[in-house]
Amino acid sequence: MTKQANEEVPDAGGDLAGRHIVLGLSGGIACYKAAELCRSLIKQGASVQVVMTEAAEQFITAVTLQALSGRPVYTSQWDSREANNMAHINLSREADAILVAPCSADFMAKLLHGRADDLLSLMCLARPIDKVPLLIAPAMNREMWAHPATQRNMAQLSSDGATILGVGSGFQACGETGDGRMLEPPELLEDIIAFFTPKVLAGQHVLVTAGPTYEAIDPVRGITNLSSGKMGFAVARAAREAGAQVTLVAGPVSLSTPRGVTRIDVKSAQNMLEAVMQQAPAATVFVATAAVADWRPASSAERKIKKDGSGQAPQLAFTENPDILATLAQSPRGLSGALFCVGFAAESHDLKDNAQAKRRRKGVPLLVGNIGPATFGRDDNALLLLDAQGSRELARASKLSLARQLVAEIASRIKRAG
Ligand code: CTP
């Protein structure tokens, strides 16, 4: 038998580098997802120690999780491999967090009562409560999830200091459909990374625009651009990781919504302006990453424009679109600083001069310049931050890493101003 589970190299610069996670599995069909979760944690640089209950071993073998984690799995409180025979103490003392995924309804009830008749529950109870956070990813049938006992247990566990990561919704292994599925491994990973991120934007409400806009010519044609929306989605994710409440107004893009972010889909620049104006009163930060079309056809035909056989192209007239960023930056809350406005500038040349001129024209305290054709659709970018004092480069990196640097910059400016 060959085992090739560790073919993907852990990322030393990953989002969980240096973190040690104890991954606890209780009994449930979602144990199959724990294998992928274990792998994802390791890929992000974490070390993972797996602990399984007897019920979990009915669903997945310790061999699989040992191969994926690269460490022997613990299943019993009577494990003589530990010199002092106190696995529950030793394992919990070295953890940066204990993550129970899946956490069954029964295991939640057990945790709630502080019962400790197997290694995993014993270890959760024995953990230093102020130093080792407990994260719970529930997984159960929809009726079990909706049951008042489970909801009561969840509320109590959360007030006892545990972090409940929520559940997914959809088709369940039992054949029913509803709430209670364990979150998917990429969702859990995003939540765990967010959990460890310092909450520098706590209490802020960040409004982000992202992607292109689509300006209709007729029912089947329109004008758009090559913006992928990736930078804006990364900003939304980074702001949520930093503890902000985030609303993302997105043009037509095919990207999944970052965890915990409220998304409003729009098509045209006018739709985007309307959505932004509706959300703006509650926002404290506005980040305009969208590549808004500068013009739209003066009128959109109700029916498809057909060739008339003359060989002549139709004459299209254009109207300028509203400038969403300038509208907010020039609003009373924008001018007073109650709404901190950040613009982006997609330029093709003379980045510094063009971007600085744009910053002044739009009246924003901070503008982020980048070379449009060099970034559209890519996962990385290089940025230039410009304010009234001058400019600073952010070296080429992934859009998520740049978004996190930008969020840190925004947070420190708000703090200074406040
Ligand atoms: N922007 C906006 N509404 C518009 C046009 C742009 O909110 N109608 C915002 C963008 O989201 C970005 C900034 O303004 O944050 C600059 O966008 P950019 O396309 O680089 O500049 P333009 O204003 O279109 O200027 P120009 O076409 O002259 O470069």
Side-chain angles (χ1 to χ4, degrees), residues 231 381-383 394-395 397-407:
M231 191 66 214
N381 198 1
L383 301 179
L394 298 185
S398 73
K399 287 184 174 173
L400 184 56
S401 158
L402 291 167
R404 286 173 177 154
Q405 294 177 59
L406 177 61
V407 158

Side-chain angles (χ1 to χ4, degrees), residues 181-198:
R181 285 162 53 120
M182 188 168 87
L183 293 172
E184 297 305 317
E187 295 174 314
L188 286 172
L189 187 68
E190 225 177 294
D191 282 357
I192 292 153
I193 292 168
F195 177 82
F196 283 117
T197 306

Side-chain angles (χ1 to χ4, degrees), residues 209 269 286 288-294 321-326 342-347 358 361-362 367:
T209 62
F286 177 54
T289 74
V292 184
D294 291 317
N321 268 328
D323 190 318
I324 303 168
L325 176 61
V342 182
F344 268 68
E347 305 295 338
K358 193 170 284 180
R361 203 166 61 240
K362 305 234 174 189
L367 188 117

Side-chain angles (χ1 to χ4, degrees), residues 82-151:
E82 293 293 302
N84 59 359
N85 216 309
M86 292 189 200
H88 62 294
I89 302 290
N90 306 346
L91 298 179
S92 64
R93 295 306 181 268
E94 39 180 66
D96 288 310
I98 297 175
L99 165 64
V100 182
C103 187
S104 65
D106 179 58
F107 200 76
M108 277 174 80
K110 225 171 174 182
L111 286 174
L112 172 79
H113 288 288
R115 286 182 53 202
D117 60 354
D118 69 298
L119 176 60
L120 186 57
S121 56
L122 179 61
M123 187 188 66
C124 290
L125 190 68
R127 82 189 201 280
I129 202 162
D130 297 331
K131 288 203 206 114
V132 183
L134 176 63
L135 285 75
I136 291 174
M140 64 200 74
N141 162 271
R142 66 189 175 112
E143 299 292 358
M144 293 167 79
W145 174 250
H147 197 285
T150 303
Q151 293 299 311

